[in-house]
Amino acid sequence: MVKKYIVDLSEDEVSQLQTLIKKGKHKARKITHANILLMASEGETDQAIAAIVRVHVTTVERTREKFVIGGLDFALLDEPHPPKLHKLEGKEEAFLIATACSNPPSGRVRWTMQLLADHLIEVGIVDSISDETVRQTLKKTILSRGSKNSGAFPK
C-alpha cells in the first residue's frame, strides 16, 4: 500500500524529538507521538510502529497525517476535549439535596440513589438521570444521609 503522508524529518526535528523522549517530563501521548514520528521517518511500516508503540494503526496514520499537514508541533499537541455538561446545576442540585434530607417515601426507611433519580424525573427536574450522577452530586456536598447532623461541622 502506498503511503499518502510521508514523514521526512530534518536533523533539527529528529534531535528535538529525541530530547523530548529522553526527558520523559511530557504527557505519555506526546512521547508516543514523538516515537511514532521517529519510527515513521526511519521507514518503519505502520503495523510495525503500532505493535512496538502499542497503539492502533489508525493512531500511527493520523499522527503522520497531522505532521505532514501542520508540522511537528501540530502532530504532538492534543486537541482540547469539549467540556462536559452537568445534569444538575444550582437550583436542581439544591432540590436534590433538600429531597435527600427530607423524609423518604412511604414504605421506605431511607432514600436510595435510584429513588432520588426516579423522583427527579417524576417531578420534571430532568428528563433522565442515573443513580451514579445522583451519588456523585451528593458526594460533592458534606451530606451524610444516615446521620442526624448533615451540616458542615460535626457536633
Side-chain angles (χ1 to χ4, degrees):
M1 184 168 126
V2 178
K3 289 185 182 179
K4 186 174 181 182
Y5 300 102
I6 307 290
V7 175
D8 186 27
L9 296 173
S10 67
E11 289 180 24
D12 183 46
E13 290 171 331
V14 170
S15 65
Q16 185 179 350
L17 289 173
Q18 288 173 341
T19 304
L20 185 139
I21 292 168
K22 286 179 185 176
K23 281 187 180 177
K25 293 186 178 184
H26 298 281
K27 292 182 180 179
R29 185 174 294 186
K30 191 172 190 176
I31 293 172
T32 301
H33 288 194
N35 279 317
I36 290 170
L37 291 174
L38 283 172
M39 287 185 224
S41 71
E42 294 169 358
E44 292 286 338
T45 64
D46 289 352
Q47 289 77 16
I49 296 170
I52 293 168
V53 183
R54 294 186 177 185
V55 295
H56 199 271
V57 176
T58 54
T59 303
V60 177
E61 293 169 354
R62 273 188 265 119
T63 304
R64 283 191 300 104
E65 180 181 355
K66 285 176 76 173
F67 173 75
V68 172
I69 290 172
L72 187 61
D73 290 334
F74 183 66
L76 294 177
L77 292 179
D78 280 337
E79 296 173 4
H81 297 284
K84 294 180 182 177
L85 301 175
H86 297 283
K87 282 271 188 174
L88 300 174
E89 296 283 337
K91 290 183 181 179
E92 296 90 357
E93 192 173 313
F95 181 82
L96 171 64
I97 294 167
T99 304
C101 292
S102 69
N103 292 328
S106 60
R108 297 293 187 145
V109 177
R110 68 177 60 93
W111 284 101
T112 64
M113 299 301 150
Q114 191 60 54
L115 276 174
L116 288 167
D118 293 342
H119 183 68
L120 289 174
I121 295 170
E122 286 174 16
V123 175
I125 300 291
V126 289
D127 295 331
S128 65
I129 192 166
S130 70
D131 58 333
E132 179 62 14
T133 304
V134 171
R135 185 194 69 79
Q136 289 177 354
T137 304
L138 291 175
K139 186 178 178 186
K140 286 191 322 186
T141 64
I142 303 174
L143 177 68
S144 176
R145 294 181 304 114
S147 74
K148 299 287 182 192
N149 177 25
S150 60
F153 301 102
K155 289 184 180 178

